[in-house]
Amino acid sequence: MKNFLGIFTLTALLLGFQLNSYAAEKVEYLKTDWSFKGLFGKFDRAALQRGYQVYTEVCSSCHSMKYLSYRNLAEKGGPEFSEAQAKAIAASFEVKDGPNADGDMFTRPGKLSDKFVMPYENVKAAQAANGGAYPPDMSVLVKARGGGVDYIYSLLQGYEDPPAGVKLDEGVYYNKYMYGNKIKMSNQLSDGLVEYGDGTNATVEQMSKDVTTFLMWAAEPHLESRHRMGFKAIVYLIILTILVYFSMKRIWSRIETKV
Amino acid sequence: MSDHQYTPKSKFGKWFNDRLPLLTLANHLTDYPTPKNLNYWWTFGGILTFCLITQIVTGLVLAMHYIAHADMAFDSVEHIMRDVNYGWLIRYIHANGASMFFLAVYIHIFRSLFYGSYKAPREIIWIIGIIIYLLMMAAAFMGYVLPWGQMSFWGATVITNLFSAIPLVGEGIVTWLWGGYSVDNPTLTRFFTLHYLIPFLILGLVVLHIWALHVPGNNNPVGIDIQKPSKDTVPFHPYIVIKDGFALLMFIIVFAFFVFYTPNILGHADNYIEANPLVTPAHIVPEWYLLPFYAILRSVPDKLLGVIAMLSAIFILAALPWLDTSKIRSAVFRPLYRQFYWILVADVLILGYVGAMPAEGLYLLIARVATAYYFLHFLVVLPILGFKEKTLPIPLSITEPILGGSPNLAAAKNKESLDIK
């Protein structure tokens, strides 16, 4: 048994080592304390609401979020705006609908059931407006980047002047955390860019953290219930395992062989 | 099958059993005599059965919500993650379940290698096992394509392109596999169909695998045949059932940890980017469980030879019962083989590691050496070892190695010093 556990742990460690080595690029990302990490990790409600504000006022002019609906903003485990607030947010957007009985398309105020309105008609339009680069959809962006939240958080604060010898084309910017260091998005955040309703000081660092938290929720809207259920499931399994262990000992005690 | 005759107690049971002996089968399965000295490495058979059933059940539910279409597959997976009740849970169990399945199957295979479970009279069990393993790889590969992310698309492109290495007909075969001139919607729909089919083929082969096992019975850590069933074995139920159950629960705890706390760590981030035929990812890497074979493939400079090497690495396992010439099954009594065994384990782990790295410079060199050693182990070391190795004396039976004054006393002492549990 001991022998078995030893070898099993060793294999698991080796496997872990192998997985770690997946990340070919070794860049030290900026670190911050994320409230949603760990066994009981939960989103910081206020940060999610502020993050949504940064998204709408800054990011959403180029980046879509096609898998999110306005109703999500009022759902449990998210920013938890009140239903009235979420309705008001939805209504502030013009949504294209139709065709109506006459066969015409029309615009109307958004409803809770509508998806987030896209900044561009299609990918081509988005590319045309951004010097050929497509601003990626942000719905699962955090999960689609190797460094996850730390990467996005760092990238937003990673703009600096290019080192001597690095030539940048028109519309290309230097970012020390970007893969290859060249990015087509210019630095978007500056201190005091948005005015937070709750009086929080809108520093670049604060906005980066808030909007990254928001993006994490957007990518994993069920993270809180996953953590809650996970803890219950694992506690239950451990108790059951202990009970089964003693049952096993008892059953095997009928014969002299050790188990 | 067990020797004793079973007759159901009830009248109806008897009537039914005379027509379809299901009760006899159930009785055989519960009473099945199992060596009492099996250690925890033997619990992975049961664990694998659990993995297969988990994959089939979660897969069925996912298939109810998934849409196999190049324009909608990625969206439908996000729909499952967001709007289907507990869809995230089912998908994360299925995705991590594949990794857990392979973790368990590798332990199961290496257990066989250590204790010589593939040797006579168990060659057929072993070969069926290799076929199951091949089908698992096919199912896992096609399953990874279904979310239609970047790694799905480009992984499918790389792997299907391997067939183009076949002389003359290669290109034609690739077009036929794709159902077009590139990986596209027809490829996705056929992969979905096959991904749905293969698990049931595996299920059928698992039945044969267990059937073939129940003819000679289990091998055991000492690797000798059962002498006296009454002394050396325990009935499968309750002894093995409870022990397998305990091990399974420990396995599920690890499984649950992945599902609930790090559900995406075993996948590649690029697969959360929708497939784009115009953008190639920087590094195309398969899932971790295919990496050793990927390393072998890339270590050969010629494409066709690389494919042959990769396939040989798997098929060579099927010839193992005849390549290993030693009459002694368990590595416990084979001091030299034991060392080569651990070198092989290290070799495969190294192959896995370099498989994840870019195929250049030192990594490529290591991959080549490790590939060469892999084949050397099976083709040279094992056949020679069977003739040259001085094995330790084996005990007389599983339970009674110590017989006063027997010529096997030394063996018995030896066994104790090796601390077999």
Side-chain angles (χ1 to χ4, degrees):
Chain A
M1 180 78 194
K2 260 184 203 155
N3 195 359
F4 171 82
L5 279 178
I7 297 177
F8 189 85
T9 323
L10 192 72
T11 319
L13 281 175
L14 279 169
L15 193 73
F17 169 68
Q18 195 161 328
L19 292 168
N20 273 332
S21 61
Y22 251 118
E25 296 292 308
K26 297 275 182 221
V27 192
E28 271 301 314
Y29 295 125
L30 299 175
K31 294 274 184 269
T32 186
D33 51 324
W34 300 109
S35 63
F36 47 81
K37 295 249 160 132
L39 291 189
F40 304 100
K42 277 186 181 148
F43 290 114
D44 174 352
R45 251 10 107 202
L48 281 180
Q49 298 199 355
R50 289 195 301 268
Y52 173 70
Q53 190 185 344
V54 176
Y55 169 71
T56 6
E57 291 182 16
V58 186
C59 322
S60 74
S61 53
C62 296
H63 291 276
S64 60
M65 250 189 172
K66 60 179 176 176
Y67 297 118
L68 272 83
S69 306
Y70 295 110
R71 66 182 161 82
N72 296 137
L73 294 172
E75 277 166 9
K76 250 186 92 89
E80 297 190 1
F81 286 107
S82 70
E83 198 170 310
Q85 280 173 315
K87 270 186 180 158
I89 288 171
S92 69
F93 292 92
E94 290 279 293
V95 175
K96 199 172 183 186
D97 202 350
N100 62 14
D102 299 326
D104 299 323
M105 300 302 280
F106 60 94
T107 55
R108 58 163 175 78
K111 292 185 288 196
L112 284 182
S113 57
D114 285 319
K115 297 270 187 212
F116 277 22
V117 173
M118 314 264 274
Y120 300 105
E121 285 279 317
N122 50 53
V123 174
K124 288 279 175 219
Q127 282 173 328
N130 290 283
Y134 170 61
D137 184 87
M138 282 185 159
S139 314
V140 285
L141 192 67
V142 166
K143 292 198 281 185
R145 296 294 179 272
V149 279
D150 293 329
Y151 168 73
I152 305 278
Y153 176 71
S154 306
L155 183 103
L156 288 170
Q157 303 173 66
Y159 285 90
E160 52 183 40
D161 292 330
V166 175
K167 278 224 167 87
L168 296 173
D169 293 336
E170 177 75 24
V172 177
Y173 307 88
Y174 188 87
N175 189 305
K176 63 174 166 177
Y177 299 106
M178 178 75 184
Y179 185 77
N181 297 122
K182 288 176 187 175
I183 185 166
K184 286 208 163 183
M185 177 175 84
S186 63
N187 189 4
Q188 295 295 323
L189 299 178
S190 55
D191 288 337
L193 181 68
V194 299
E195 199 176 319
Y196 281 139
D198 61 2
T200 308
N201 191 11
T203 59
V204 169
E205 198 185 337
Q206 183 67 42
M207 286 185 286
S208 304
K209 189 173 175 181
D210 290 343
V211 79
T212 308
T213 305
F214 176 72
L215 291 179
M216 183 68 207
W217 165 75
E220 279 284 313
H222 298 293
L223 178 138
E224 287 190 11
S225 56
R226 173 155 62 77
H227 284 177
R228 263 200 314 275
M229 189 192 287
F231 182 72
K232 283 185 209 156
I234 289 172
V235 167
Y236 172 85
L237 282 166
I238 289 172
I239 294 170
L240 185 63
T241 308
I242 293 169
L243 291 176
V244 169
Y245 175 76
F246 284 112
S247 315
M248 177 178 76
K249 279 286 181 198
R250 179 130 189 206
I251 287 171
W252 279 77
S253 70
R254 294 174 201 167
I255 54 174
E256 78 282 18
T257 311
K258 283 212 181 93
V259 63
Chain B
M1 297 275 163
S2 52
D3 302 323
H4 70 280
Q5 283 298 311
Y6 167 77
T7 28
K9 288 192 184 76
S10 75
K11 224 175 166 186
F12 173 74
K14 214 169 139 13
W15 177 86
F16 186 90
N17 204 47
D18 286 345
R19 282 149 186 82
L20 179 67
L22 270 188
L23 293 169
T24 304
L25 178 67
N27 178 260
H28 161 75
L29 292 176
T30 49
D31 282 2
Y32 171 66
T34 318
K36 56 164 65 163
N37 62 336
L38 295 189
N39 57 32
Y40 283 95
W41 300 109
W42 259 266
T43 58
F44 283 87
I47 287 170
L48 283 161
T49 314
F50 166 83
C51 288
L52 177 63
I53 292 167
T54 307
Q55 290 305 85
I56 289 179
V57 172
T58 52
L60 277 175
V61 180
L62 289 175
M64 293 172 191
H65 300 279
Y66 171 77
I67 301 166
H69 189 286
D71 295 337
M72 288 180 272
F74 193 87
D75 290 2
S76 72
V77 171
E78 277 308 309
H79 164 70
I80 291 168
M81 292 298 291
R82 289 160 195 275
D83 294 332
V84 173
N85 290 329
Y86 297 104
W88 58 269
L89 177 62
I90 293 160
R91 173 160 178 265
Y92 278 155
I93 290 176
H94 197 74
N96 287 285
S99 281
M100 298 311 288
F101 205 154
F102 275 93
L103 177 66
V105 92
Y106 283 128
I107 295 173
H108 195 62
I109 291 172
F110 276 102
R111 188 268 291 154
S112 258
L113 293 180
F114 189 83
Y115 294 108
S117 302
Y118 48 85
K119 290 184 195 182
R122 298 185 180 83
E123 301 95 321
I124 300 293
I125 313 173
W126 172 253
I127 289 169
I128 293 172
I130 298 297
I131 300 171
I132 291 174
Y133 174 52
L134 268 174
L135 286 175
M136 274 175 64
M137 288 199 276
F141 160 65
M142 293 187 198
Y144 198 56
V145 174
L146 302 185
W148 211 240
Q150 273 290 67
M151 246 350 128
S152 303
F153 182 89
W154 290 99
T157 304
V158 168
I159 300 297
T160 47
N161 252 319
L162 294 180
F163 289 90
S164 72
I166 303 168
L168 300 175
V169 291
E171 294 293 337
I173 288 179
V174 173
T175 310
W176 176 71
L177 284 175
W178 286 340
Y181 294 102
S182 67
V183 173
D184 206 341
N185 196 48
T187 326
L188 177 60
T189 49
R190 68 191 54 187
F191 276 22
F192 178 56
T193 314
L194 293 172
H195 182 72
Y196 204 114
L197 169 73
I198 292 173
F200 296 98
L201 298 181
I202 294 177
L203 189 63
L205 284 166
V206 166
V207 172
L208 293 184
H209 193 65
I210 296 171
W211 186 0
L213 167 72
H214 281 227
V215 176
N218 288 68
N219 182 29
N220 62 75
V222 188
I224 58 172
D225 292 330
I226 301 295
Q227 307 296 326
K228 278 182 246 146
S230 58
K231 284 199 160 173
D232 294 348
T233 68
V234 288
F236 189 76
H237 182 76
Y239 293 95
I240 304 299
V241 168
I242 190 94
K243 192 170 166 177
D244 277 1
F246 169 63
L248 174 62
L249 280 166
M250 293 212 293
F251 182 80
I252 296 177
I253 291 173
V254 178
F255 194 162
F257 186 82
F258 276 108
V259 168
F260 291 108
Y261 290 107
T262 57
N264 291 308
I265 199 166
L266 296 164
H268 197 291
D270 279 10
N271 229 26
Y272 277 106
I273 303 171
E274 196 168 353
N276 185 348
L278 302 175
V279 180
T280 317
H283 301 286
I284 302 175
V285 275
E287 294 267 75
W288 68 266
Y289 40 79
L290 302 175
L291 287 173
F293 299 105
Y294 194 56
I296 292 175
L297 169 77
R298 296 190 307 176
S299 70
V300 183
D302 181 76
K303 191 176 180 184
L304 179 62
L305 291 178
V307 174
I308 292 173
M310 181 179 70
L311 292 176
S312 311
I314 303 164
F315 285 115
I316 204 168
L317 294 172
L320 188 57
W322 298 276
L323 289 172
D324 184 349
T325 50
S326 175
K327 294 277 176 289
I328 306 295
R329 290 196 193 105
S330 174
V332 170
F333 304 103
R334 299 184 61 191
L336 275 179
Y337 172 70
R338 205 160 59 219
Q339 291 171 29
F340 282 109
Y341 170 85
W342 288 112
I343 296 174
L344 180 73
V345 172
D347 188 59
V348 172
L349 288 174
I350 289 168
L351 278 172
Y353 176 77
V354 292
M357 294 293 143
E360 58 198 25
L362 187 62
Y363 292 127
L364 190 58
L365 183 71
I366 296 173
R368 285 184 176 155
V369 173
T371 300
Y373 183 78
Y374 181 89
F375 287 105
L376 208 68
H377 174 89
F378 291 107
L379 292 174
V380 180
V381 174
L382 285 188
I384 294 177
L385 216 53
F387 298 110
K388 297 280 179 201
E389 187 177 32
K390 224 172 127 20
T391 54
L392 303 174
I394 54 169
L396 279 182
S397 84
I398 289 173
T399 39
E400 290 181 279
I402 302 162
L403 294 172
S406 103
N408 254 76
L409 196 60
K413 278 185 180 151
N414 218 328
K415 178 180 174 288
E416 274 177 318
S417 69
L418 284 164
D419 187 35
I420 308 148
K421 282 168 196 152

